[in-house]
Amino acid sequence: MNALELRGVSKTRGLGAHATRALEAVTLEAAAGEVVLLEGPSGSGKTTLLAIAAGLLTADQGEVEVAGAVLGRMSPAALRRWRAQQVGFVFQRPRLLEGLSVLENVALAATLAGMARAPATQEAARLLEELGVEALSARRPSTLSGGEEQRVSVARSLVHRPALVLADEPTASLDWASGQAVASHLQRLARERRAAVVLSTHDLRLEPYADRRVRLVDGCIR
Amino acid sequence: MPQPASPAHPATASIAPGPGHASLLRTALRSRPLRGSVVTIGLAISSLLVLVLLAAYRSPMQGVRSYIAQPGLDLWVSPLGTDNLIRTAGFLPLHIVDDLREIPGVRGADPLLRVFVRATPWRRNGHGHERNVMLLAIGYRVPMGLAGPPSIATGGAPEGEIDVTLDRAAAFRLGLGLGDTLRVNDRLVRVAGITRGTNLLATQFLFFDLALGESASGLEDQASFFVVRTAEGEQAAVARRIRDLFPGLAVYSSDEFARNSVRESAAGFVPLLALIALLGVLAAAVTVTLLVQNLVDERQSDLAVLMAMGASVRSIGSTLVAHASMLVVAGSLLGAVLACALAWSLDRFLPTIHLTLLPLDLFVTVAVFSAAGAVGAISPLWRLGRIDPLEAFRT
């Protein structure tokens, strides 16, 4: 069973004269532990695809299935609960919450997925250690470098053992060395935790850190 | 290398967020410490304002009640049309008191003369200015008559015709102490005692001998009221007998007379106090609304990330309301502490203003502020529903 399956997904964004076809009959699969590199120019529909896979946008046509659950059949509340448990995010900007420490930022994702605070904190600490940033646990996000923040963001995306991690240009605002480190950690941990990863990027240098490359142009897989 | 999907991730499971997420959300979404402190102080000042108004209202009400309903006073007899101590209509012939004493069930009856007098210290102050205050004077049968001063702070009740006992706020305003001489409507008298709980804010009580009251006011052989002590359980029967015997008189139980007097005292300023108190509560609610609205606007991208991660609008909203409520409770409790400190300080250093803080008022104020704060916090939450989780993807 694939962790992610998009079957003939189409999506139009905007209304009336401003409507544009963001995705056109896209079919995409990702197995558990597989990293799929989704590359394409700006405006090709990469973020729309990630949002549909996360259930944040609804497809106009086609079907989205994540770890056996068909998203179109879920109520909004069930979809939100499902997303908390089954999806992890790594955004272009790490978007850690400044009010929380690094450890708490990671633990929060686990508690939102249903874990109690103590095991969530333990799991977060373990993951930060695996990423080599355990020394940052008590620090506030604003005191971290970009690379450190993004590594914490990777920990946050995986702490609740999701079926799917959606990474939206996670290395775009990092230097190459930091970007490599982040991509490498993401690939290793996703394999260990058997999470499918869809990593959107402009940067083809990340290809060695993916199992497969998919090109998206004008909303179509090429 | 692709591997089979993990059975540890049942996609259809619907586990509620863990018990730890609420406290983490609270920590994540709370306002900055400085802003939170400023809001708390603002709320404390609002609740202090309301508590001071309540206490200022309670003080004269309690003064009136403690005098009128003091032990040993069962009935108040007044001219028809006069149902309270504060505003009186006409006087009664003094000799009626002898007839009252003859009524079965009456254990004692005494006349009271209630007049306003001008009190002036005998000596002028160092600047040659003459201080004077108008006081609500009660002339009674000194030294053993009914309805004397209810609570003595220092000294004693008047013992002779040249003695007066006056409220401590009046003594403070006049700069008088025990044994000092003052003029009451140009009669020289001596301060024999100072009372507490007799400050009506607008005026204060002064107690003196009935004869002095008559000569100082020119009202000879007249009384404002008669007070009656009855035998145990005879209050209603004695009241009926007095009404039968003197149809031209009004008779009230002490409780009823006290209630009427409280009503009369409060009538003038309660609407204004209520309006100011309402404005204080509204100011608190608006402060909380601004705080929460600010949090929602300022943290929009954080909130979008949380929503993308699966946090519900309801849990974020209740977190914000809980945070605001905590500040409101802290602010109103701080206001209560400040009110107690202020009441103590005024009592010690400026007795002119007496604040009576009741535990019930403290509790009600904290409860009202908490409710107003919760309403204030809820109103900006509709904006949460307009936050798009896709914001999290935007750079």
Side-chain angles (χ1 to χ4, degrees):
Chain A
M1 182 175 68
N2 285 312
L4 169 69
E5 283 188 31
L6 271 69
R7 293 186 284 269
V9 169
S10 296
K11 178 72 181 175
T12 300
R13 305 288 300 268
L15 292 170
H18 302 289
T20 52
R21 198 71 163 164
L23 293 178
E24 184 67 57
V26 168
T27 295
L28 177 69
E29 294 167 353
E34 183 184 23
V35 179
V36 175
L37 192 78
L38 182 68
E39 63 97 4
S42 292
S44 59
K46 298 190 297 293
T47 302
T48 302
L49 190 148
L50 295 186
I52 287 175
L56 291 170
L57 279 179
T58 312
D60 298 334
Q61 285 175 340
E63 201 169 61
V64 181
E65 188 174 331
V66 179
V70 179
L71 305 196
R73 295 178 196 155
M74 292 185 188
S75 68
L79 193 58
R80 181 183 51 70
R81 284 196 298 270
W82 165 85
R83 194 166 55 243
Q85 293 158 24
Q86 300 297 336
V87 183
F89 293 96
V90 184
F91 303 108
Q92 182 174 338
R93 285 174 55 200
R95 296 202 182 275
L96 301 174
L97 302 174
E98 189 53 37
L100 299 178
S101 68
V102 162
L103 183 65
E104 287 170 334
N105 261 286
V106 179
L108 175 63
T111 58
L112 283 170
M115 215 183 271
R117 174 92 181 250
T121 305
Q122 276 176 3
E123 183 65 11
R126 199 157 66 83
L127 208 45
L128 288 172
E129 195 178 344
E130 283 187 45
L131 283 157
V133 287
E134 71 274 20
L136 309 176
S137 294
R139 303 239 312 251
R140 296 280 157 182
S142 58
T143 66
L144 307 183
S145 69
E148 288 170 338
E149 272 196 282
Q150 203 58 300
R151 273 198 273 175
V152 174
S153 182
V154 168
R156 182 177 67 179
S157 72
L158 286 160
V159 68
H160 52 302
R161 297 183 174 274
L164 176 65
V165 173
L166 301 167
D168 186 29
E169 313 228 17
T171 62
S173 47
L174 303 179
D175 59 73
W176 175 235
S178 301
Q180 266 185 311
V182 166
S184 160
H185 283 304
L186 184 58
Q187 184 189 38
R188 178 174 57 82
L189 288 171
R191 279 183 181 164
E192 283 173 17
R193 293 176 172 244
R194 300 164 71 195
V197 177
V198 180
L199 192 159
S200 81
T201 185
H202 291 102
D203 191 348
L204 291 177
R205 288 180 297 174
L206 291 177
E207 200 168 349
Y209 302 101
D211 299 297
R212 190 154 54 91
R213 182 180 127 191
V214 171
R215 181 163 172 75
L216 192 67
V217 179
D218 294 333
C220 300
I221 300 280
R222 307 278 170 163
Chain B
M1 185 66 62
Q3 295 172 27
S6 166
H9 308 304
T12 50
S14 59
I15 307 164
H21 94 289
S23 64
L24 281 172
L25 273 182
R26 261 201 307 280
T27 312
L29 296 179
R30 69 185 168 202
S31 52
R32 293 188 183 119
L34 180 63
R35 189 176 295 165
S37 304
V38 170
V39 167
T40 304
I41 290 169
L43 294 168
I45 292 170
S46 293
S47 66
L48 174 65
L49 169 76
V50 172
L51 278 168
V52 165
L53 290 173
L54 260 175
Y57 162 76
R58 294 285 185 210
S59 182
M61 300 308 121
Q62 207 173 51
V64 166
R65 184 172 288 281
S66 68
Y67 173 63
I68 293 173
Q70 62 180 284
L73 299 188
D74 297 311
L75 296 173
W76 284 71
V77 181
S78 63
L80 280 180
T82 297
D83 68 351
N84 68 88
L85 180 74
I86 308 303
R87 292 185 176 87
T88 56
F91 293 90
L92 302 165
L94 193 58
H95 64 80
I96 293 177
V97 73
D98 297 325
D99 298 325
L100 292 175
R101 287 177 181 140
E102 299 301 318
I103 292 174
V106 171
R107 288 284 173 268
D110 277 317
L112 291 184
L113 187 61
R114 194 226 71 150
V115 289
F116 277 97
V117 296
R118 182 172 298 282
T120 316
W122 184 46
R123 293 180 194 281
R124 289 167 182 244
N125 67 13
H127 305 291
H129 296 139
E130 188 177 81
R131 280 175 293 184
N132 64 77
V133 293
M134 291 296 289
L135 299 174
L136 180 65
I138 303 289
Y140 73 108
R141 195 168 54 81
V142 166
M144 301 302 291
L146 298 172
S151 173
I152 301 286
T154 176
E159 291 188 349
E161 202 173 322
I162 63 155
D163 288 344
V164 297
T165 296
L166 75 166
D167 178 79
R168 62 197 287 261
F172 181 83
R173 289 170 70 187
L174 291 166
L176 294 172
L178 272 185
D180 285 347
T181 304
L182 72 155
R183 279 179 288 146
V184 171
N185 286 3
D186 288 332
R187 307 292 162 128
L188 282 181
V189 293
R190 184 182 67 96
V191 178
I194 290 173
T195 58
R196 62 165 60 245
T198 45
N199 182 359
L200 306 185
L201 282 187
T203 185
Q204 290 84 34
F205 277 98
L206 176 144
F207 299 90
F208 56 11
D209 183 54
L210 186 65
L212 175 60
E214 286 179 331
S215 62
S217 63
L219 293 164
E220 294 194 0
D221 296 324
Q222 294 184 77
S224 305
F225 311 100
F226 298 114
V227 284
V228 177
R229 177 183 291 169
T230 66
E232 186 81 23
E234 287 284 300
Q235 190 190 40
V238 170
R240 202 167 44 247
R241 286 172 201 140
I242 295 172
R243 285 190 197 103
D244 290 345
L245 208 55
F246 300 101
L249 298 183
V251 186
Y252 299 94
S253 70
S254 291
D255 283 342
E256 191 180 0
F257 201 68
R259 266 199 310 277
N260 295 340
S261 301
V262 165
R263 178 207 68 212
E264 204 62 33
S265 304
F269 63 95
V270 160
L272 182 64
L273 291 188
L275 178 65
I276 297 171
L278 181 66
L279 291 175
V281 173
L282 278 177
V286 168
T287 305
V288 174
T289 301
L290 284 174
L291 174 81
V292 175
Q293 186 154 329
N294 195 277
L295 279 174
V296 172
D297 289 347
E298 234 178 34
R299 303 284 180 85
Q300 206 151 327
S301 67
D302 285 351
L303 297 175
V305 169
L306 285 168
M307 287 176 183
M309 287 167 59
S312 65
V313 168
R314 180 184 288 186
S315 68
I316 291 172
S318 57
T319 300
L320 292 173
V321 171
H323 172 62
S325 300
M326 201 183 69
L327 293 183
V328 173
V329 170
S332 47
L333 286 176
L334 179 62
V337 171
L338 290 175
C340 292
L342 182 65
W344 181 84
S345 304
L346 287 173
D347 190 59
R348 196 171 168 85
F349 302 113
L350 188 63
T352 313
I353 305 169
H354 183 251
L355 301 179
T356 302
L357 283 167
L358 303 181
L360 179 67
D361 290 344
L362 294 172
F363 175 78
V364 167
T365 302
V366 172
V368 166
F369 269 77
S370 300
V375 171
I378 287 167
S379 52
L381 292 185
W382 65 272
R383 296 168 78 99
L384 279 180
R386 299 176 65 179
I387 294 176
D388 185 354
L390 284 177
E391 276 285 320
F393 285 96
R394 298 194 180 113
T395 52

